[in-house]
């Protein structure tokens, strides 16, 4: 089975000590889990693809968001994440597959399945999984490789949408 691991939004602004309080992820445990997945998939000769959420560096975006701003240290992949490939794609929206170069690569490589990990389970990971399903691409979310800062209601809502789209957690 030809598969790829998408490592989504494992960036400084969400994980390092200078992050905003709302990004209260357990950095150590999440990074350890994601790095184990990276090693496993890389060891199986599966492609590991890194995704960065990038927000345009405009004064309004710096004020409104203040994170993932293009060209800043915070937008870079977190230093604790193992880098095993040069496959790194930026996205402006939650769904990573809106990046045409990434989508083209995925179609060219003809993966049987995309395995998703990273941040946030109820944000960009769910959005990318739903985007894959919409495009007829099989995607599965690796539960021990994701985290969320959202409440139970948002989690239940996201899980309901994923179930309807036949996206599974593994």
């Amino acid at each position: 089975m030809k598969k790829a691991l998408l490592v989504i939004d494992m960036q400084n602004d969400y994980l390092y000590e200078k992050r905003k309080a709302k990004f209260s992820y357990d950095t150590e445990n999440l990074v350890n889990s994601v790095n184990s997945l990276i090693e496993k998939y890389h060891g199986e000769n599966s492609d590991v693809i890194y995704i960065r959420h990038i927000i345009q560096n405009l004064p309004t975006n710096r004020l409104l968001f203040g994170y993932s701003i293009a060209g800043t240290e915070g937008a870079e992949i977190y230093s604790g994440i193992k880098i095993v490939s040069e496959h790194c794609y930026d996205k402006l929206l939650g769904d990573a597959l809106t990046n045409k170069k990434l989508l083209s690569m995925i179609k060219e490589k003809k993966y049987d399945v995309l395995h998703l990990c990273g941040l946030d389970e109820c944000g960009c990971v769910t959005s990318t999984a739903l985007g894959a399903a919409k495009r007829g691409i099989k995607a599965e979310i690796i539960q021990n490789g994701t985290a969320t800062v959202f409440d139970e209601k948002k989690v239940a809502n996201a899980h309901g949408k994923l179930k309807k789209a036949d996206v599974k957690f593994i």
Side-chain angles (χ1 to χ4, degrees):
M1 176 184 282
K2 191 169 182 181
K3 59 189 170 188
L5 177 69
L6 270 63
V7 179
I8 300 172
D9 298 352
M10 295 294 288
Q11 294 163 256
N12 285 330
D13 272 342
Y14 309 116
L15 297 168
Y16 71 172
E17 62 282 344
K18 294 189 271 183
R19 67 186 170 198
K20 293 179 179 274
K22 70 179 180 177
F23 300 124
S24 58
Y25 303 106
D26 182 342
T27 297
E28 184 178 351
N29 283 332
L30 181 60
V31 168
N32 287 339
S33 294
V34 169
N35 280 337
S36 292
L37 292 168
I38 291 168
E39 287 176 3
K40 176 182 182 252
Y41 283 73
H42 183 64
E44 295 172 351
N45 291 319
S46 294
D47 286 331
V48 176
I49 303 168
Y50 301 89
I51 309 296
R52 296 185 319 159
H53 187 83
I54 300 295
I55 297 172
Q56 292 178 317
N57 194 344
L58 301 170
T60 52
N61 288 344
R62 287 193 300 271
L63 286 172
L64 286 171
F65 300 103
Y67 57 87
S68 288
I69 302 296
T72 65
E73 174 189 21
E76 297 303 317
I77 300 290
Y78 180 66
S79 63
I81 294 296
K82 293 182 183 199
I83 306 297
V84 297
S85 81
E86 293 183 11
H87 298 300
C88 185
Y89 294 88
D90 293 345
K91 63 183 177 62
L92 300 174
L93 302 170
D95 176 3
L97 301 180
T98 57
N99 179 308
K100 289 180 176 147
K101 288 181 182 178
L102 172 61
L103 183 58
S104 177
M105 177 203 167
I106 287 168
K107 287 180 177 181
E108 281 175 28
K109 296 261 190 166
K110 297 180 181 174
Y111 297 114
D112 296 307
V113 64
L114 301 178
H115 286 168
L116 313 180
C117 67
L119 295 172
D120 182 283
E121 179 187 315
C122 293
C124 296
V125 174
T126 289
S127 185
T128 300
L130 294 173
K134 181 177 82 177
R135 292 172 179 88
I137 300 167
K138 184 176 180 180
E140 298 174 335
I141 298 172
I142 303 172
Q143 194 145 24
N144 73 345
T146 62
T148 189
V149 293
F150 293 101
D151 62 32
E152 289 178 25
K153 185 177 178 184
K154 176 102 177 182
V155 171
N157 185 37
H159 286 199
K161 288 178 182 178
L162 291 164
K163 187 174 182 176
K164 275 186 186 174
D166 200 30
V167 174
K168 295 183 178 23
F169 281 89
I170 57 172

